[in-house]
PDB file of all heavy atoms in Angstrom:
ATOM      1  N   LEU A   1      -0.468   2.168  13.087  1.00  0.00           N
ATOM      2  CA  LEU A   1      -1.054   2.604  11.823  1.00  0.00           C
ATOM      3  C   LEU A   1      -0.777   1.554  10.745  1.00  0.00           C
ATOM      4  O   LEU A   1       0.273   0.902  10.748  1.00  0.00           O
ATOM      5  CB  LEU A   1      -0.465   3.943  11.389  1.00  0.00           C
ATOM      6  CG  LEU A   1      -0.873   5.169  12.213  1.00  0.00           C
ATOM      7  CD1 LEU A   1      -0.093   6.402  11.740  1.00  0.00           C
ATOM      8  CD2 LEU A   1      -2.375   5.433  12.096  1.00  0.00           C
ATOM      9  N   PRO A   2      -1.689   1.363   9.803  1.00  0.00           N
ATOM     10  CA  PRO A   2      -1.464   0.380   8.732  1.00  0.00           C
ATOM     11  C   PRO A   2      -0.310   0.798   7.826  1.00  0.00           C
ATOM     12  O   PRO A   2       0.048   1.976   7.753  1.00  0.00           O
ATOM     13  CB  PRO A   2      -2.800   0.379   7.971  1.00  0.00           C
ATOM     14  CG  PRO A   2      -3.422   1.699   8.285  1.00  0.00           C
ATOM     15  CD  PRO A   2      -2.998   2.037   9.680  1.00  0.00           C
ATOM     16  N   GLU A   3       0.281  -0.177   7.158  1.00  0.00           N
ATOM     17  CA  GLU A   3       1.427   0.091   6.298  1.00  0.00           C
ATOM     18  C   GLU A   3       1.052   0.940   5.084  1.00  0.00           C
ATOM     19  O   GLU A   3       1.844   1.754   4.615  1.00  0.00           O
ATOM     20  CB  GLU A   3       2.061  -1.223   5.834  1.00  0.00           C
ATOM     21  CG  GLU A   3       2.724  -2.031   6.939  1.00  0.00           C
ATOM     22  CD  GLU A   3       3.929  -1.327   7.530  1.00  0.00           C
ATOM     23  OE1 GLU A   3       4.572  -0.547   6.805  1.00  0.00           O
ATOM     24  OE2 GLU A   3       4.216  -1.553   8.718  1.00  0.00           O
ATOM     25  N   ASP A   4      -0.148   0.745   4.554  1.00  0.00           N
ATOM     26  CA  ASP A   4      -0.556   1.499   3.370  1.00  0.00           C
ATOM     27  C   ASP A   4      -1.108   2.860   3.780  1.00  0.00           C
ATOM     28  O   ASP A   4      -1.766   3.014   4.802  1.00  0.00           O
ATOM     29  CB  ASP A   4      -1.630   0.729   2.586  1.00  0.00           C
ATOM     30  CG  ASP A   4      -2.862   0.451   3.432  1.00  0.00           C
ATOM     31  OD1 ASP A   4      -2.688   0.040   4.597  1.00  0.00           O
ATOM     32  OD2 ASP A   4      -3.988   0.667   2.944  1.00  0.00           O
ATOM     33  N   ASP A   5      -0.789   3.869   2.979  1.00  0.00           N
ATOM     34  CA  ASP A   5      -1.255   5.234   3.233  1.00  0.00           C
ATOM     35  C   ASP A   5      -2.649   5.405   2.646  1.00  0.00           C
ATOM     36  O   ASP A   5      -2.816   5.653   1.448  1.00  0.00           O
ATOM     37  CB  ASP A   5      -0.289   6.247   2.605  1.00  0.00           C
ATOM     38  CG  ASP A   5       1.076   6.212   3.264  1.00  0.00           C
ATOM     39  OD1 ASP A   5       1.127   5.911   4.466  1.00  0.00           O
ATOM     40  OD2 ASP A   5       2.075   6.479   2.578  1.00  0.00           O
ATOM     41  N   ARG A   6      -3.646   5.263   3.478  1.00  0.00           N
ATOM     42  CA  ARG A   6      -5.023   5.350   3.012  1.00  0.00           C
ATOM     43  C   ARG A   6      -5.402   6.807   2.738  1.00  0.00           C
ATOM     44  O   ARG A   6      -5.021   7.704   3.494  1.00  0.00           O
ATOM     45  CB  ARG A   6      -5.956   4.738   4.052  1.00  0.00           C
ATOM     46  CG  ARG A   6      -5.658   3.261   4.316  1.00  0.00           C
ATOM     47  CD  ARG A   6      -6.512   2.708   5.437  1.00  0.00           C
ATOM     48  NE  ARG A   6      -6.147   1.311   5.717  1.00  0.00           N
ATOM     49  CZ  ARG A   6      -6.669   0.605   6.706  1.00  0.00           C
ATOM     50  NH1 ARG A   6      -7.573   1.159   7.513  1.00  0.00           N
ATOM     51  NH2 ARG A   6      -6.283  -0.648   6.902  1.00  0.00           N
ATOM     52  N   PRO A   7      -6.151   7.058   1.683  1.00  0.00           N
ATOM     53  CA  PRO A   7      -6.534   8.438   1.337  1.00  0.00           C
ATOM     54  C   PRO A   7      -7.250   9.161   2.478  1.00  0.00           C
ATOM     55  O   PRO A   7      -7.065  10.363   2.657  1.00  0.00           O
ATOM     56  CB  PRO A   7      -7.456   8.248   0.129  1.00  0.00           C
ATOM     57  CG  PRO A   7      -7.045   6.942  -0.472  1.00  0.00           C
ATOM     58  CD  PRO A   7      -6.624   6.097   0.673  1.00  0.00           C
ATOM     59  N   ALA A   8      -8.047   8.430   3.258  1.00  0.00           N
ATOM     60  CA  ALA A   8      -8.798   9.058   4.343  1.00  0.00           C
ATOM     61  C   ALA A   8      -7.870   9.667   5.386  1.00  0.00           C
ATOM     62  O   ALA A   8      -8.226  10.646   6.048  1.00  0.00           O
ATOM     63  CB  ALA A   8      -9.724   8.035   5.006  1.00  0.00           C
ATOM     64  N   PHE A   9      -6.668   9.124   5.530  1.00  0.00           N
ATOM     65  CA  PHE A   9      -5.724   9.658   6.500  1.00  0.00           C
ATOM     66  C   PHE A   9      -5.304  11.076   6.151  1.00  0.00           C
ATOM     67  O   PHE A   9      -4.858  11.831   7.011  1.00  0.00           O
ATOM     68  CB  PHE A   9      -4.483   8.763   6.590  1.00  0.00           C
ATOM     69  CG  PHE A   9      -4.739   7.429   7.225  1.00  0.00           C
ATOM     70  CD1 PHE A   9      -3.756   6.460   7.234  1.00  0.00           C
ATOM     71  CD2 PHE A   9      -5.960   7.140   7.812  1.00  0.00           C
ATOM     72  CE1 PHE A   9      -3.988   5.215   7.828  1.00  0.00           C
ATOM     73  CE2 PHE A   9      -6.207   5.908   8.405  1.00  0.00           C
ATOM     74  CZ  PHE A   9      -5.220   4.953   8.405  1.00  0.00           C
ATOM     75  N   PHE A  10      -5.406  11.426   4.868  1.00  0.00           N
ATOM     76  CA  PHE A  10      -4.985  12.742   4.412  1.00  0.00           C
ATOM     77  C   PHE A  10      -6.170  13.626   4.048  1.00  0.00           C
ATOM     78  O   PHE A  10      -6.009  14.661   3.391  1.00  0.00           O
ATOM     79  CB  PHE A  10      -4.054  12.596   3.198  1.00  0.00           C
ATOM     80  CG  PHE A  10      -2.847  11.761   3.476  1.00  0.00           C
ATOM     81  CD1 PHE A  10      -2.842  10.398   3.200  1.00  0.00           C
ATOM     82  CD2 PHE A  10      -1.708  12.318   4.036  1.00  0.00           C
ATOM     83  CE1 PHE A  10      -1.728   9.619   3.472  1.00  0.00           C
ATOM     84  CE2 PHE A  10      -0.590  11.547   4.313  1.00  0.00           C
ATOM     85  CZ  PHE A  10      -0.597  10.195   4.030  1.00  0.00           C
ATOM     86  N   GLY A  11      -7.350  13.194   4.453  1.00  0.00           N
ATOM     87  CA  GLY A  11      -8.535  13.984   4.161  1.00  0.00           C
ATOM     88  C   GLY A  11      -8.952  13.938   2.709  1.00  0.00           C
ATOM     89  O   GLY A  11      -9.636  14.840   2.217  1.00  0.00           O
ATOM     90  N   LEU A  12      -8.556  12.889   2.010  1.00  0.00           N
ATOM     91  CA  LEU A  12      -8.865  12.752   0.585  1.00  0.00           C
ATOM     92  C   LEU A  12      -9.989  11.742   0.383  1.00  0.00           C
ATOM     93  O   LEU A  12     -10.157  10.819   1.190  1.00  0.00           O
ATOM     94  CB  LEU A  12      -7.620  12.301  -0.190  1.00  0.00           C
ATOM     95  CG  LEU A  12      -6.413  13.243  -0.116  1.00  0.00           C
ATOM     96  CD1 LEU A  12      -5.204  12.595  -0.769  1.00  0.00           C
ATOM     97  CD2 LEU A  12      -6.730  14.574  -0.781  1.00  0.00           C
ATOM     98  N   PRO A  13     -10.770  11.887  -0.697  1.00  0.00           N
ATOM     99  CA  PRO A  13     -11.839  10.915  -0.966  1.00  0.00           C
ATOM    100  C   PRO A  13     -11.266   9.557  -1.323  1.00  0.00           C
ATOM    101  O   PRO A  13     -10.140   9.440  -1.821  1.00  0.00           O
ATOM    102  CB  PRO A  13     -12.585  11.530  -2.157  1.00  0.00           C
ATOM    103  CG  PRO A  13     -11.588  12.429  -2.810  1.00  0.00           C
ATOM    104  CD  PRO A  13     -10.733  12.968  -1.708  1.00  0.00           C
ATOM    105  N   ALA A  14     -12.059   8.509  -1.093  1.00  0.00           N
ATOM    106  CA  ALA A  14     -11.581   7.144  -1.322  1.00  0.00           C
ATOM    107  C   ALA A  14     -11.251   6.876  -2.784  1.00  0.00           C
ATOM    108  O   ALA A  14     -10.354   6.098  -3.101  1.00  0.00           O
ATOM    109  CB  ALA A  14     -12.629   6.150  -0.819  1.00  0.00           C
ATOM    110  N   ASN A  15     -11.986   7.529  -3.715  1.00  0.00           N
ATOM    111  CA  ASN A  15     -11.765   7.239  -5.134  1.00  0.00           C
ATOM    112  C   ASN A  15     -10.465   7.830  -5.662  1.00  0.00           C
ATOM    113  O   ASN A  15     -10.085   7.580  -6.803  1.00  0.00           O
ATOM    114  CB  ASN A  15     -12.947   7.729  -5.981  1.00  0.00           C
ATOM    115  CG  ASN A  15     -13.137   9.241  -5.881  1.00  0.00           C
ATOM    116  OD1 ASN A  15     -12.418   9.914  -5.148  1.00  0.00           O
ATOM    117  ND2 ASN A  15     -14.108   9.762  -6.596  1.00  0.00           N
ATOM    118  N   ILE A  16      -9.780   8.653  -4.844  1.00  0.00           N
ATOM    119  CA  ILE A  16      -8.507   9.201  -5.299  1.00  0.00           C
ATOM    120  C   ILE A  16      -7.474   8.093  -5.448  1.00  0.00           C
ATOM    121  O   ILE A  16      -6.551   8.173  -6.257  1.00  0.00           O
ATOM    122  CB  ILE A  16      -8.002  10.283  -4.315  1.00  0.00           C
ATOM    123  CG1 ILE A  16      -6.933  11.161  -4.973  1.00  0.00           C
ATOM    124  CG2 ILE A  16      -7.440   9.647  -3.050  1.00  0.00           C
ATOM    125  CD1 ILE A  16      -7.460  12.049  -6.058  1.00  0.00           C
ATOM    126  N   GLU A  17      -7.654   7.020  -4.662  1.00  0.00           N
ATOM    127  CA  GLU A  17      -6.728   5.888  -4.755  1.00  0.00           C
ATOM    128  C   GLU A  17      -6.855   5.193  -6.107  1.00  0.00           C
ATOM    129  O   GLU A  17      -5.859   4.713  -6.664  1.00  0.00           O
ATOM    130  CB  GLU A  17      -6.991   4.902  -3.621  1.00  0.00           C
ATOM    131  CG  GLU A  17      -5.961   3.796  -3.535  1.00  0.00           C
ATOM    132  CD  GLU A  17      -6.133   2.949  -2.290  1.00  0.00           C
ATOM    133  OE1 GLU A  17      -7.146   3.138  -1.589  1.00  0.00           O
ATOM    134  OE2 GLU A  17      -5.269   2.109  -2.026  1.00  0.00           O
ATOM    135  N   ARG A  18      -8.078   5.163  -6.654  1.00  0.00           N
ATOM    136  CA  ARG A  18      -8.274   4.559  -7.966  1.00  0.00           C
ATOM    137  C   ARG A  18      -7.529   5.344  -9.039  1.00  0.00           C
ATOM    138  O   ARG A  18      -6.904   4.763  -9.926  1.00  0.00           O
ATOM    139  CB  ARG A  18      -9.772   4.511  -8.289  1.00  0.00           C
ATOM    140  CG  ARG A  18     -10.084   3.877  -9.644  1.00  0.00           C
ATOM    141  CD  ARG A  18     -11.587   3.876  -9.904  1.00  0.00           C
ATOM    142  NE  ARG A  18     -12.312   3.130  -8.878  1.00  0.00           N
ATOM    143  CZ  ARG A  18     -13.631   3.050  -8.839  1.00  0.00           C
ATOM    144  NH1 ARG A  18     -14.370   3.664  -9.751  1.00  0.00           N
ATOM    145  NH2 ARG A  18     -14.222   2.341  -7.896  1.00  0.00           N
ATOM    146  N   SER A  19      -7.572   6.667  -8.934  1.00  0.00           N
ATOM    147  CA  SER A  19      -6.850   7.503  -9.900  1.00  0.00           C
ATOM    148  C   SER A  19      -5.353   7.263  -9.799  1.00  0.00           C
ATOM    149  O   SER A  19      -4.656   7.167 -10.823  1.00  0.00           O
ATOM    150  CB  SER A  19      -7.166   8.986  -9.651  1.00  0.00           C
ATOM    151  OG  SER A  19      -8.537   9.241  -9.802  1.00  0.00           O
ATOM    152  N   SER A  20      -4.856   7.160  -8.576  1.00  0.00           N
ATOM    153  CA  SER A  20      -3.430   6.898  -8.382  1.00  0.00           C
ATOM    154  C   SER A  20      -3.037   5.538  -8.959  1.00  0.00           C
ATOM    155  O   SER A  20      -1.996   5.400  -9.612  1.00  0.00           O
ATOM    156  CB  SER A  20      -3.096   6.945  -6.890  1.00  0.00           C
ATOM    157  OG  SER A  20      -1.757   6.587  -6.655  1.00  0.00           O
ATOM    158  N   GLN A  21      -3.887   4.538  -8.749  1.00  0.00           N
ATOM    159  CA  GLN A  21      -3.595   3.200  -9.271  1.00  0.00           C
ATOM    160  C   GLN A  21      -3.589   3.198 -10.798  1.00  0.00           C
ATOM    161  O   GLN A  21      -2.797   2.485 -11.424  1.00  0.00           O
ATOM    162  CB  GLN A  21      -4.617   2.203  -8.728  1.00  0.00           C
ATOM    163  CG  GLN A  21      -4.478   1.920  -7.242  1.00  0.00           C
ATOM    164  CD  GLN A  21      -5.575   1.031  -6.704  1.00  0.00           C
ATOM    165  OE1 GLN A  21      -6.577   0.780  -7.381  1.00  0.00           O
ATOM    166  NE2 GLN A  21      -5.403   0.533  -5.487  1.00  0.00           N
ATOM    167  N   ARG A  22      -4.488   3.989 -11.411  1.00  0.00           N
ATOM    168  CA  ARG A  22      -4.519   4.066 -12.871  1.00  0.00           C
ATOM    169  C   ARG A  22      -3.235   4.674 -13.417  1.00  0.00           C
ATOM    170  O   ARG A  22      -2.673   4.206 -14.417  1.00  0.00           O
ATOM    171  CB  ARG A  22      -5.723   4.898 -13.321  1.00  0.00           C
ATOM    172  CG  ARG A  22      -7.056   4.172 -13.188  1.00  0.00           C
ATOM    173  CD  ARG A  22      -8.203   5.065 -13.619  1.00  0.00           C
ATOM    174  NE  ARG A  22      -9.481   4.356 -13.581  1.00  0.00           N
ATOM    175  CZ  ARG A  22     -10.649   4.923 -13.816  1.00  0.00           C
ATOM    176  NH1 ARG A  22     -10.708   6.220 -14.105  1.00  0.00           N
ATOM    177  NH2 ARG A  22     -11.758   4.209 -13.762  1.00  0.00           N
ATOM    178  N   ILE A  23      -2.751   5.727 -12.751  1.00  0.00           N
ATOM    179  CA  ILE A  23      -1.511   6.368 -13.194  1.00  0.00           C
ATOM    180  C   ILE A  23      -0.341   5.398 -13.071  1.00  0.00           C
ATOM    181  O   ILE A  23       0.474   5.255 -13.992  1.00  0.00           O
ATOM    182  CB  ILE A  23      -1.260   7.648 -12.372  1.00  0.00           C
ATOM    183  CG1 ILE A  23      -2.345   8.685 -12.659  1.00  0.00           C
ATOM    184  CG2 ILE A  23       0.120   8.216 -12.687  1.00  0.00           C
ATOM    185  CD1 ILE A  23      -2.241   9.930 -11.797  1.00  0.00           C
ATOM    186  N   ILE A  24      -0.259   4.725 -11.921  1.00  0.00           N
ATOM    187  CA  ILE A  24       0.829   3.762 -11.714  1.00  0.00           C
ATOM    188  C   ILE A  24       0.735   2.616 -12.713  1.00  0.00           C
ATOM    189  O   ILE A  24       1.751   2.168 -13.266  1.00  0.00           O
ATOM    190  CB  ILE A  24       0.792   3.234 -10.271  1.00  0.00           C
ATOM    191  CG1 ILE A  24       1.072   4.363  -9.281  1.00  0.00           C
ATOM    192  CG2 ILE A  24       1.806   2.104 -10.086  1.00  0.00           C
ATOM    193  CD1 ILE A  24       0.936   3.947  -7.838  1.00  0.00           C
ATOM    194  N   SER A  25      -0.493   2.148 -12.989  1.00  0.00           N
ATOM    195  CA  SER A  25      -0.676   1.063 -13.953  1.00  0.00           C
ATOM    196  C   SER A  25      -0.212   1.481 -15.345  1.00  0.00           C
ATOM    197  O   SER A  25       0.439   0.704 -16.062  1.00  0.00           O
ATOM    198  CB  SER A  25      -2.146   0.642 -14.002  1.00  0.00           C
ATOM    199  OG  SER A  25      -2.582   0.159 -12.757  1.00  0.00           O
ATOM    200  N   SER A  26      -0.536   2.716 -15.733  1.00  0.00           N
ATOM    201  CA  SER A  26      -0.108   3.214 -17.046  1.00  0.00           C
ATOM    202  C   SER A  26       1.412   3.273 -17.131  1.00  0.00           C
ATOM    203  O   SER A  26       2.004   2.928 -18.173  1.00  0.00           O
ATOM    204  CB  SER A  26      -0.706   4.611 -17.296  1.00  0.00           C
ATOM    205  OG  SER A  26      -2.120   4.554 -17.329  1.00  0.00           O
ATOM    206  N   GLN A  27       2.054   3.682 -16.040  1.00  0.00           N
ATOM    207  CA  GLN A  27       3.512   3.737 -16.037  1.00  0.00           C
ATOM    208  C   GLN A  27       4.112   2.345 -16.148  1.00  0.00           C
ATOM    209  O   GLN A  27       5.089   2.143 -16.886  1.00  0.00           O
ATOM    210  CB  GLN A  27       3.993   4.429 -14.762  1.00  0.00           C
ATOM    211  CG  GLN A  27       3.627   5.911 -14.679  1.00  0.00           C
ATOM    212  CD  GLN A  27       3.997   6.532 -13.347  1.00  0.00           C
ATOM    213  OE1 GLN A  27       4.270   5.830 -12.370  1.00  0.00           O
ATOM    214  NE2 GLN A  27       4.010   7.845 -13.297  1.00  0.00           N
ATOM    215  N   VAL A  28       3.523   1.382 -15.439  1.00  0.00           N
ATOM    216  CA  VAL A  28       4.026   0.009 -15.484  1.00  0.00           C
ATOM    217  C   VAL A  28       3.855  -0.581 -16.882  1.00  0.00           C
ATOM    218  O   VAL A  28       4.766  -1.224 -17.424  1.00  0.00           O
ATOM    219  CB  VAL A  28       3.306  -0.866 -14.446  1.00  0.00           C
ATOM    220  CG1 VAL A  28       3.674  -2.340 -14.633  1.00  0.00           C
ATOM    221  CG2 VAL A  28       3.655  -0.416 -13.036  1.00  0.00           C
ATOM    222  N   ILE A  29       2.686  -0.338 -17.489  1.00  0.00           N
ATOM    223  CA  ILE A  29       2.429  -0.849 -18.840  1.00  0.00           C
ATOM    224  C   ILE A  29       3.425  -0.252 -19.826  1.00  0.00           C
ATOM    225  O   ILE A  29       3.950  -0.943 -20.708  1.00  0.00           O
ATOM    226  CB  ILE A  29       0.977  -0.529 -19.256  1.00  0.00           C
ATOM    227  CG1 ILE A  29      -0.006  -1.351 -18.423  1.00  0.00           C
ATOM    228  CG2 ILE A  29       0.769  -0.822 -20.745  1.00  0.00           C
ATOM    229  CD1 ILE A  29      -1.460  -0.993 -18.661  1.00  0.00           C
ATOM    230  N   SER A  30       3.683   1.057 -19.687  1.00  0.00           N
ATOM    231  CA  SER A  30       4.646   1.716 -20.576  1.00  0.00           C
ATOM    232  C   SER A  30       6.030   1.114 -20.418  1.00  0.00           C
ATOM    233  O   SER A  30       6.736   0.875 -21.409  1.00  0.00           O
ATOM    234  CB  SER A  30       4.679   3.217 -20.265  1.00  0.00           C
ATOM    235  OG  SER A  30       5.642   3.871 -21.054  1.00  0.00           O
ATOM    236  N   GLN A  31       6.435   0.832 -19.177  1.00  0.00           N
ATOM    237  CA  GLN A  31       7.742   0.230 -18.944  1.00  0.00           C
ATOM    238  C   GLN A  31       7.801  -1.197 -19.486  1.00  0.00           C
ATOM    239  O   GLN A  31       8.832  -1.624 -20.025  1.00  0.00           O
ATOM    240  CB  GLN A  31       8.054   0.249 -17.452  1.00  0.00           C
ATOM    241  CG  GLN A  31       8.247   1.650 -16.887  1.00  0.00           C
ATOM    242  CD  GLN A  31       8.312   1.675 -15.378  1.00  0.00           C
ATOM    243  OE1 GLN A  31       8.082   0.656 -14.722  1.00  0.00           O
ATOM    244  NE2 GLN A  31       8.592   2.830 -14.817  1.00  0.00           N
ATOM    245  N   LEU A  32       6.701  -1.938 -19.355  1.00  0.00           N
ATOM    246  CA  LEU A  32       6.669  -3.307 -19.878  1.00  0.00           C
ATOM    247  C   LEU A  32       6.775  -3.315 -21.398  1.00  0.00           C
ATOM    248  O   LEU A  32       7.384  -4.216 -21.984  1.00  0.00           O
ATOM    249  CB  LEU A  32       5.382  -4.011 -19.442  1.00  0.00           C
ATOM    250  CG  LEU A  32       5.285  -4.370 -17.959  1.00  0.00           C
ATOM    251  CD1 LEU A  32       3.921  -4.957 -17.642  1.00  0.00           C
ATOM    252  CD2 LEU A  32       6.380  -5.365 -17.582  1.00  0.00           C
ATOM    253  N   ARG A  33       6.186  -2.295 -22.042  1.00  0.00           N
ATOM    254  CA  ARG A  33       6.285  -2.216 -23.498  1.00  0.00           C
ATOM    255  C   ARG A  33       7.728  -1.998 -23.934  1.00  0.00           C
ATOM    256  O   ARG A  33       8.179  -2.552 -24.937  1.00  0.00           O
ATOM    257  CB  ARG A  33       5.396  -1.083 -24.011  1.00  0.00           C
ATOM    258  CG  ARG A  33       3.896  -1.406 -23.978  1.00  0.00           C
ATOM    259  CD  ARG A  33       3.063  -0.207 -24.367  1.00  0.00           C
ATOM    260  NE  ARG A  33       1.637  -0.558 -24.405  1.00  0.00           N
ATOM    261  CZ  ARG A  33       0.664   0.338 -24.549  1.00  0.00           C
ATOM    262  NH1 ARG A  33       0.960   1.630 -24.665  1.00  0.00           N
ATOM    263  NH2 ARG A  33      -0.592  -0.060 -24.569  1.00  0.00           N
ATOM    264  N   VAL A  34       8.438  -1.188 -23.157  1.00  0.00           N
ATOM    265  CA  VAL A  34       9.854  -0.978 -23.480  1.00  0.00           C
ATOM    266  C   VAL A  34      10.631  -2.272 -23.300  1.00  0.00           C
ATOM    267  O   VAL A  34      11.462  -2.644 -24.137  1.00  0.00           O
ATOM    268  CB  VAL A  34      10.440   0.136 -22.580  1.00  0.00           C
ATOM    269  CG1 VAL A  34      11.951   0.247 -22.785  1.00  0.00           C
ATOM    270  CG2 VAL A  34       9.768   1.467 -22.881  1.00  0.00           C
ATOM    271  N   LEU A  35      10.335  -2.989 -22.206  1.00  0.00           N
ATOM    272  CA  LEU A  35      11.042  -4.242 -21.946  1.00  0.00           C
ATOM    273  C   LEU A  35      10.674  -5.332 -22.943  1.00  0.00           C
ATOM    274  O   LEU A  35      11.458  -6.246 -23.188  1.00  0.00           O
ATOM    275  CB  LEU A  35      10.737  -4.730 -20.522  1.00  0.00           C
ATOM    276  CG  LEU A  35      11.265  -3.860 -19.382  1.00  0.00           C
ATOM    277  CD1 LEU A  35      10.784  -4.400 -18.044  1.00  0.00           C
ATOM    278  CD2 LEU A  35      12.778  -3.792 -19.417  1.00  0.00           C
ATOM    279  N   SER A  36       9.464  -5.210 -23.510  1.00  0.00           N
ATOM    280  CA  SER A  36       9.013  -6.251 -24.429  1.00  0.00           C
ATOM    281  C   SER A  36       9.716  -6.179 -25.780  1.00  0.00           C
ATOM    282  O   SER A  36       9.651  -7.120 -26.561  1.00  0.00           O
ATOM    283  CB  SER A  36       7.497  -6.136 -24.637  1.00  0.00           C
ATOM    284  OG  SER A  36       7.168  -4.933 -25.317  1.00  0.00           O
ATOM    285  N   ARG A  37      10.365  -5.033 -26.051  1.00  0.00           N
ATOM    286  CA  ARG A  37      11.117  -4.959 -27.302  1.00  0.00           C
ATOM    287  C   ARG A  37      12.238  -5.982 -27.264  1.00  0.00           C
ATOM    288  O   ARG A  37      12.881  -6.207 -26.250  1.00  0.00           O
ATOM    289  CB  ARG A  37      11.716  -3.557 -27.495  1.00  0.00           C
ATOM    290  CG  ARG A  37      10.678  -2.451 -27.588  1.00  0.00           C
ATOM    291  CD  ARG A  37      11.364  -1.182 -28.046  1.00  0.00           C
ATOM    292  NE  ARG A  37      10.455  -0.053 -28.012  1.00  0.00           N
ATOM    293  CZ  ARG A  37      10.463   0.856 -27.053  1.00  0.00           C
ATOM    294  NH1 ARG A  37      11.349   0.784 -26.092  1.00  0.00           N
ATOM    295  NH2 ARG A  37       9.608   1.848 -27.061  1.00  0.00           N
ATOM    296  N   SER A  38      12.485  -6.576 -28.375  1.00  0.00           N
ATOM    297  CA  SER A  38      13.515  -7.602 -28.442  1.00  0.00           C
ATOM    298  C   SER A  38      14.869  -7.024 -28.075  1.00  0.00           C
ATOM    299  O   SER A  38      15.300  -6.009 -28.609  1.00  0.00           O
ATOM    300  CB  SER A  38      13.581  -8.185 -29.866  1.00  0.00           C
ATOM    301  OG  SER A  38      14.660  -9.079 -29.986  1.00  0.00           O
TER     302      SER A  38
END
């Protein structure tokens, strides 16, 4: 099996991965903003 957990393996639509990536991206951006403070 591939290393990445593909949405199709869990019976989920492919675009659900885009939603997950958006959430993770928002969390990363928020953390970077905290780190960017002097």
